[in-house]
Amino acid sequence: MQLLQSIDTSFEEKSVCSILDSIRLFWYKNRKLVSLYLQTLKGKEAFSYSGATHLDVNDKEYYGFLAVGKIHIMDDQLYKYADMILFGQNVSGIEIIKKQILITLVDNIKVLQELRGIIVLLPVRLFYENLQIIHNAAEKCFLSFFNNKYPSIHCFLEECKSVDDLISNISEDIIKSIFLYDNDDFNLSIYERIKMIPDAISKTGNDVFKFFLSIQGFLISSLEMLEVMHDFDIIPIVRNRATLSYLYLLEPNLNNDFQYLNKIVLANEIFAIINQNRERFEGLLPEQANNVFDKSNIFDALYKKFGLENTSINSINLHERVDDIKHTVNKISIP
């Protein structure tokens, strides 16, 4: 993608709008090619790095990504940022997004410079059109978290005025399992966790509204990711623990394809374990790493070992399967 490669990494913040406009126009012109390519991926072991704004090339997070599958796609989010910024959309957390744009721009350039031919930079969710359906599904899911069974989001916001109201009505099982924000600390009380939702989520100081926006953001992102990825038979790799937790929560309710969920869980566990042990592969250049992981083929080996063609991965003891994955990773031959 010559457009990004031509961008000087020392660009100034004031030139970001111009850069985003060029990126948006580029993808729009090539939207048919993107669609045609994605339609060819069924059955080809395609994996997409999603649910994150960037792949940390400097920190070599691509090791864990390359360890699974044959086709690797970085799900580029800059076209969405372009719509938000260029058209002045009223988006919660817009200041956070502006900071992430700069990080994503720089990292995308590095992906193209250092991982060209190994990782494809492509907006997988480029032209997803059922956004209203996803928003409605996210709202229904959000309301299902509450014992009071609010009939609508409007009723929820009208009747739930304080953190005490939230705590008294939300399901105890749900509050113990969902992230309220990135790096949520489950050792804190639920009251403290809600109070620590970043102010940047919304300009309003209302804790209940910030809680809604934060959870809704996770739900919408996860539902959209699952819907699009499943349609193209692409397995999402998700670095963000919060987003991944919602992916696991929602996927069984989205379709009856338990094998797809098996692949998501196994791939993300391999990704996490590889990256926890990056020092073992530290000296490998991108092409060398790609060859090593392609030859080891640990995803297919573990998928067969666990019998995931016929068995839910959740029926396998978590501790045992993590030990098996670590053992398999340690056996990878490095030249």
Side-chain angles (χ1 to χ4, degrees):
M1 185 175 167
Q2 293 181 345
L3 171 62
L4 275 183
Q5 286 182 305
S6 67
I7 298 173
D8 187 340
T9 54
S10 63
F11 59 82
E12 297 181 3
E13 186 171 351
K14 64 183 180 183
S15 65
V16 167
C17 285
S18 174
I19 293 169
L20 289 176
D21 192 32
S22 298
I23 292 170
R24 185 176 179 278
L25 181 60
F26 174 87
W27 285 128
Y28 182 79
K29 285 181 177 179
N30 290 281
R31 63 195 184 281
K32 290 184 179 179
L33 288 175
V34 173
S35 179
L36 286 172
Y37 174 75
L38 292 174
Q39 290 172 30
T40 69
L41 298 179
K42 284 191 175 293
K44 292 186 177 179
E45 289 196 43
F47 289 73
S48 175
Y49 192 81
S50 302
T53 53
H54 68 288
L55 175 67
D56 196 332
V57 176
N58 284 344
D59 206 26
K60 299 186 178 176
E61 281 190 349
Y62 56 80
Y63 283 159
F65 186 26
L66 297 179
V68 295
K70 302 296 181 184
I71 298 172
H72 303 93
I73 304 168
M74 177 65 205
D75 186 10
D76 184 19
Q77 294 297 294
L78 286 177
Y79 72 95
K80 283 194 171 184
Y81 291 154
D83 282 344
M84 294 176 187
I85 301 299
L86 297 175
F87 296 99
Q89 294 183 16
N90 185 19
V91 180
S92 62
I94 194 67
E95 294 304 318
I96 296 175
I97 290 172
K98 286 179 180 178
K99 292 177 182 178
Q100 286 298 327
I101 286 173
L102 299 175
I103 297 171
T104 305
L105 275 170
V106 172
D107 204 67
N108 279 4
I109 293 168
K110 290 179 180 177
V111 168
L112 290 168
Q113 290 174 338
E114 300 179 27
L115 294 155
R116 189 178 184 87
I118 298 173
I119 294 177
V120 180
L121 184 64
L122 201 70
V124 179
R125 292 175 276 171
L126 178 55
F127 295 110
Y128 183 68
E129 297 178 347
N130 296 326
L131 291 178
Q132 190 56 52
I133 294 175
I134 291 294
H135 276 256
N136 292 341
E139 288 186 0
K140 287 181 180 179
C141 184
F142 177 85
L143 293 172
S144 73
F145 293 165
F146 293 87
N147 299 317
N148 197 15
K149 301 297 181 184
Y150 299 103
S152 68
I153 295 299
H154 175 75
C155 288
F156 165 75
L157 294 174
E158 282 291 312
E159 297 178 27
C160 197
K161 297 292 188 181
S162 68
V163 173
D164 288 332
D165 290 339
L166 272 175
I167 295 172
S168 63
N169 286 298
I170 197 166
S171 166
E172 189 173 338
D173 289 339
I174 286 294
I175 207 63
K176 289 178 180 178
S177 61
I178 62 170
F179 280 78
L180 307 186
Y181 46 88
D182 292 341
N183 302 316
D184 190 358
D185 187 350
F186 286 81
N187 292 316
L188 299 176
S189 70
I190 179 56
Y191 187 88
E192 291 173 306
R193 289 171 61 201
I194 292 173
K195 285 293 185 180
M196 289 183 67
I197 295 174
D199 290 335
I201 293 294
S202 172
K203 293 179 180 179
T204 176
N206 187 303
D207 290 319
V208 173
F209 190 56
K210 286 196 296 184
F211 174 89
F212 164 66
L213 288 179
S214 186
I215 302 300
Q216 189 77 342
F218 282 124
L219 290 171
I220 290 171
S221 176
S222 299
L223 283 167
E224 182 185 276
M225 188 189 310
L226 283 168
E227 184 76 21
V228 177
M229 300 291 176
H230 186 264
D231 283 351
F232 291 120
D233 196 23
I234 300 171
I235 307 300
I237 299 293
V238 182
R239 173 185 63 187
N240 184 286
R241 288 178 59 239
T243 302
L244 187 61
S245 72
Y246 282 91
L247 213 64
Y248 291 165
L249 172 70
L250 295 170
E251 205 283 337
N253 300 315
L254 192 66
N255 60 72
N256 295 318
D257 188 352
F258 78 91
Q259 294 174 355
Y260 185 71
L261 177 58
N262 285 347
K263 291 176 181 178
I264 291 177
V265 175
L266 177 60
N268 279 281
E269 288 179 353
I270 292 172
F271 169 79
I273 289 170
I274 289 282
N275 279 326
Q276 287 166 7
N277 297 276
R278 281 198 295 273
E279 66 280 356
R280 185 161 184 267
F281 309 96
E282 191 65 33
L284 297 177
L285 297 174
E287 188 171 349
Q288 292 173 321
N290 193 42
N291 290 336
V292 165
F293 292 127
D294 187 55
K295 186 177 179 180
S296 66
N297 201 16
I298 62 172
F299 178 82
D300 283 349
L302 287 164
Y303 190 82
K304 292 175 183 176
K305 178 175 182 177
F306 293 144
L308 299 183
E309 186 75 24
N310 304 302
T311 306
S312 168
I313 194 168
N314 292 322
S315 67
I316 302 169
N317 180 277
L318 174 62
H319 179 74
E320 290 179 0
R321 75 173 187 250
V322 167
D323 282 347
D324 275 342
I325 294 171
K326 288 180 178 178
H327 180 67
T328 305
V329 167
N330 287 330
K331 289 199 305 182
I332 293 176
S333 178
I334 304 174

